[in-house]
Amino acid sequence: MEHKGTVTLVNPNQIYPPIAPYALDVLTTALEAAGFEAHVLDLTFHLDDWPRVLKEYFRAHRPLLVGVTCRNTDTVYALEQRPFVDRYKTVIDEIRRQTPAPVITGGVGFSTMPFALVDYFGVEYGVKGPGEKIICDLAQALHEGRPADDVPGLLINRGPGHVTRVPPPALTGRPTLPQPLSPSAVGHYESRVWQAETELSYTRRSGVPYKVDNLRYYRMGGLGSILTKNGCVYKCSQCVEPDAKGTRFARRSLHAVVDEIESLTAQGIHDLHTTDSEFNLSIAHSKSLLREIVRRRDADVTSPLRDLRLWVYCQPAPFDEEFAELLAAAGCAGVNVGTDHVRPEMLDGWKVTGKGTRYYEFADTVRLVELSHRHGMLTMVEALLGMPGENLETMRECVDRLMELDATVTGFSLGLRLFPYMDLAISLAEQCDGVRTVPGLQSNTATRPIVLKPLAQCDSPVEYERQFMFDESGNFRLVCYFSPDLPEAPGTVGSPHGIWRGSVDFLWNHIPESERYRVMLPTLSGSSQNDNNYADNPFLTSLNRQGHTGAFWAHWRNREAILSGAGTLRELAAEGSR
């Protein structure tokens, strides 16, 4: 096949424990199939010398295109509110100094506010949702010397504050940005099946120069990852994924996925977590996948699949006896379930299907935990407190009933980081109407009441999206939501930067100290190192340093002993660079 040129893919993420940039394996697979050389430039293991790494690479290489993945915009942790995009911009600015090649950005985090981030980063192009088809089309256009204006779905930077999107195939012929601005104009809640590669087995490598080193990540992070389908047909009001990934399931070939799992386990990567939204949705596909894993395991006593430990993310339903049996037979070690709440009136209109109907009851969570434990699988149950309508009574009941489940670990989060195209964020912007604030809107760095404008009132999608990350002066102001009906002083609720300390204190006081060994609780800055925020968490870095693998929550009950052998983040990074 003709060598059409090199596309360089950069991972700017430097958060520990390190998570392998799965997206870059997906893009590499697609680019190589299309006749391009794909180089991965991974900065995760270069905390201090990443500018030198970039300079040396671009001194020796002249890529056709540079892609930068933005997995997360921030910690997505309402009680911390730590942005990552400033670090990404610093890396992108250095890339721009080292090469004249155009830059395209993408990733799940990027896709939550893609117009604003193309503008903020000052890059030429962006991709909302799966990028494997669009980046290949763009690379082909650049190879042929054609303009990018006919690459379907591509975001193009037209100048400060002006980012447009080439219509996807289904919308060809329509204006890119009709006036007034509408959700369809920015690709809100579209199917993105056409953007995803579903037939190829993604090539996963270890120890190969200029590729993702999956085994190194596993040794330092304790988990690999696997995707069985993209997108989500559900429409939960607090979730970004149906908008960011697409409103239909792009189901991958079963054989391609299991081939990939076999490749990873053969490389010594035995713990894999599913990155679907979520694994048990489209359950017939998931059951077929598990059957194929079991078939191959049983057919070959030397199969590396016999070493597989699978960790799955699930919703409370659907989850039946057959599914639990198949999970256990396929080597599933643990199930993480996002039950979010126990009260039906809290979940109505929140955890819903595309038609707006709630799709599970608390009894489904009870059954999931029972089935998982019966089949030898650990469980983590997660609740999200502080959504609209939450008060002391609903919070207390949620905590008490979830604690009664006796899951392996129960995690409680408080507050929600808002992103532009969440249904809740859209609703709050409409309530603000550009002229008033709404009780519960909060940011740690807010200096004035937070007033959001709905999309139709904005001059551009850049303006609409920016207000969820930046204030009017361009300073970071990550917008969050906490129910104003929680047990807080009026001065806290009335302040745009109020901290919901009363609710945090309630949770710590309500759960007996003797039971905290099996609970993750929200923490305020500096109050405890035992929180459930992933980024640079001392417990997690301690896990990896001591050689523990698998989902971090599986070790939570033993955290005190594990922390006693903790090393520093810099020491961990130094080990990875050797």
Side-chain angles (χ1 to χ4, degrees):
M1 182 183 289
E2 174 195 5
H3 176 62
K4 300 177 181 179
T6 299
V7 177
T8 302
L9 304 172
V10 180
N11 178 26
N13 182 34
Q14 295 187 318
I15 300 301
Y16 276 66
I19 300 174
Y22 191 4
L24 300 192
D25 274 341
V26 177
L27 297 179
T28 294
T29 301
L31 286 163
E32 289 176 344
F36 295 93
E37 176 70 23
H39 285 176
V40 172
L41 201 55
D42 198 338
L43 305 183
T44 295
F45 305 112
H46 296 279
L47 293 179
D48 299 314
D49 66 339
W50 64 267
R52 177 191 60 79
V53 172
L54 290 177
K55 186 175 182 179
E56 291 180 356
Y57 174 83
F58 287 112
R59 182 185 296 149
H61 300 88
R62 295 291 181 266
L64 185 70
L65 174 68
V66 177
V68 180
T69 181
C70 304
R71 184 177 182 272
N72 294 106
T73 61
D74 51 85
T75 55
V76 198
Y77 189 50
L79 292 174
E80 182 181 32
Q81 302 179 25
R82 172 186 169 193
F84 298 153
V85 294
D86 52 342
R87 179 71 170 186
Y88 299 160
K89 179 170 171 55
T90 300
V91 171
I92 290 170
D93 289 345
E94 184 62 28
I95 291 171
R96 305 303 294 264
R97 284 190 285 269
Q98 299 297 333
T99 178
V103 176
I104 180 171
T105 48
V108 175
F110 172 87
S111 296
T112 62
M113 48 180 67
F115 290 85
L117 290 179
V118 164
D119 182 69
Y120 173 68
F121 293 144
V123 297
E124 287 86 353
Y125 307 113
V127 176
K128 180 172 183 172
E132 48 265 41
K133 295 293 180 67
I134 294 175
I135 199 171
C136 288
D137 289 348
L138 175 60
Q140 185 67 33
L142 295 173
H143 170 66
E144 296 175 1
R146 294 186 286 106
D149 296 72
D150 62 351
V151 175
L154 184 68
L155 274 67
I156 302 177
N157 193 339
R158 307 289 187 183
H162 186 205
V163 179
T164 64
R165 183 183 65 138
V166 180
L171 301 179
T172 300
R174 300 185 190 181
T176 305
L177 291 177
Q179 295 295 331
L181 282 177
S182 66
S184 62
V186 293
H188 179 52
Y189 277 131
E190 283 184 354
S191 167
R192 308 195 192 285
V193 171
W194 68 272
Q195 296 179 218
E197 169 55 60
T198 57
E199 296 303 316
L200 293 177
S201 181
Y202 305 146
T203 304
R204 314 294 295 276
R205 300 175 172 96
S206 296
V208 178
Y210 294 133
K211 306 298 180 186
V212 177
D213 192 341
N214 285 284
L215 182 58
R216 184 181 188 184
Y217 272 99
Y218 177 60
R219 287 172 173 166
M220 294 189 65
L223 276 174
S225 53
I226 195 73
L227 176 74
T228 77
K229 59 184 177 297
N230 234 316
C232 185
V233 301
Y234 290 70
K235 202 175 180 183
C236 302
S237 67
Q238 88 291 4
C239 187
V240 301
E241 299 208 356
D243 175 67
K245 294 184 177 181
T247 58
R248 289 178 55 205
F249 290 127
R251 300 174 184 85
R252 294 185 60 202
S253 158
L254 298 177
H255 292 284
V257 175
V258 182
D259 286 348
E260 188 180 340
I261 295 174
E262 251 183 331
S263 170
L264 288 167
T265 51
Q267 293 171 52
I269 302 165
H270 299 147
D271 295 270
L272 298 178
H273 76 99
T274 56
T275 62
D276 300 19
S277 313
E278 306 286 344
F279 182 65
N280 62 326
L281 304 183
S282 187
I283 195 168
H285 180 264
S286 300
K287 287 181 177 180
S288 295
L289 177 76
L290 295 170
R291 291 189 189 101
E292 177 62 15
I293 294 173
V294 173
R295 185 191 69 78
R296 294 196 197 185
R297 284 169 60 119
D298 292 347
D300 182 2
V301 295
T302 66
S303 172
L305 291 173
R306 289 176 173 262
D307 295 320
L308 172 65
R309 290 184 294 272
L310 196 61
W311 303 85
V312 298
Y313 291 103
C314 288
Q315 289 294 326
F319 198 103
D320 56 23
E321 179 84 40
E322 181 187 37
F323 187 58
E325 290 175 354
L326 286 168
L327 281 170
C332 182
V335 179
N336 186 323
V337 56
T339 191
D340 286 338
H341 216 282
V342 304
R343 296 272 289 247
E345 74 274 19
M346 286 295 300
L347 295 169
D348 286 341
W350 169 16
K351 298 297 291 287
V352 295
T353 66
K355 295 181 179 179
T357 56
R358 180 161 49 87
Y359 58 95
Y360 66 85
E361 298 177 354
F362 179 57
D364 295 308
T365 301
V366 175
R367 178 169 171 76
L368 181 150
V369 172
E370 291 176 347
L371 285 172
S372 297
H373 289 184
R374 186 188 310 165
H375 290 278
M377 296 178 288
L378 305 177
T379 55
M380 175 163 178
V381 176
E382 295 189 83
L384 174 57
L385 304 172
M387 289 287 282
E390 188 85 83
N391 56 41
L392 181 60
E393 177 189 349
T394 61
M395 182 164 62
R396 179 187 287 113
E397 182 176 346
C398 183
V399 171
D400 290 345
R401 294 181 72 183
L402 289 184
M403 291 297 292
E404 290 171 0
L405 279 180
D406 197 25
T408 308
V409 180
T410 305
F412 297 101
S413 295
L414 178 67
L416 180 69
R417 168 74 169 99
L418 295 177
F419 290 95
Y421 302 110
M422 287 176 172
D423 275 9
L424 178 59
I426 292 170
S427 173
L428 289 167
E430 291 172 348
Q431 292 175 52
C432 287
D433 200 30
V435 297
R436 67 185 69 87
T437 191
V438 172
L441 288 176
Q442 184 272 351
S443 176
N444 291 349
T445 59
T447 58
R448 63 182 70 178
I450 299 169
V451 178
L452 302 173
K453 294 173 65 175
L455 179 63
Q457 289 185 15
C458 295
D459 293 332
S460 69
V462 171
E463 180 188 5
Y464 174 70
E465 294 173 5
R466 276 186 62 89
Q467 63 186 333
F468 290 90
M469 176 70 79
F470 304 98
D471 66 16
E472 298 84 352
S473 300
N475 299 313
F476 281 112
R477 185 202 62 187
L478 281 60
V479 179
C480 298
Y481 178 85
F482 296 84
S483 170
D485 300 320
L486 284 168
E488 301 294 337
T492 296
V493 175
S495 170
H497 56 265
I499 305 296
W500 265 242
R501 297 180 185 276
S503 300
V504 174
D505 289 343
F506 167 79
L507 292 170
W508 280 87
N509 293 329
H510 185 66
I511 295 176
E513 188 171 353
S514 61
E515 295 296 314
R516 292 181 194 162
Y517 71 97
R518 61 185 179 96
V519 180
M520 292 181 183
L521 291 171
T523 58
L524 299 174
S525 178
S527 65
S528 172
Q529 59 186 349
N530 293 339
D531 63 55
N532 55 352
N533 176 33
Y534 196 91
D536 296 335
N537 187 304
F539 168 64
L540 300 187
T541 54
S542 302
L543 274 180
N544 307 136
R545 184 179 181 85
Q546 296 178 44
H548 298 281
T549 63
F552 78 93
W553 54 263
H555 307 285
W556 187 254
R557 291 188 174 206
N558 300 318
R559 61 188 178 277
E560 296 300 335
I562 292 169
L563 278 166
S564 67
T568 68
L569 175 62
R570 293 282 171 181
E571 288 171 345
L572 185 68
E575 288 182 8
S577 66
R578 288 197 285 269

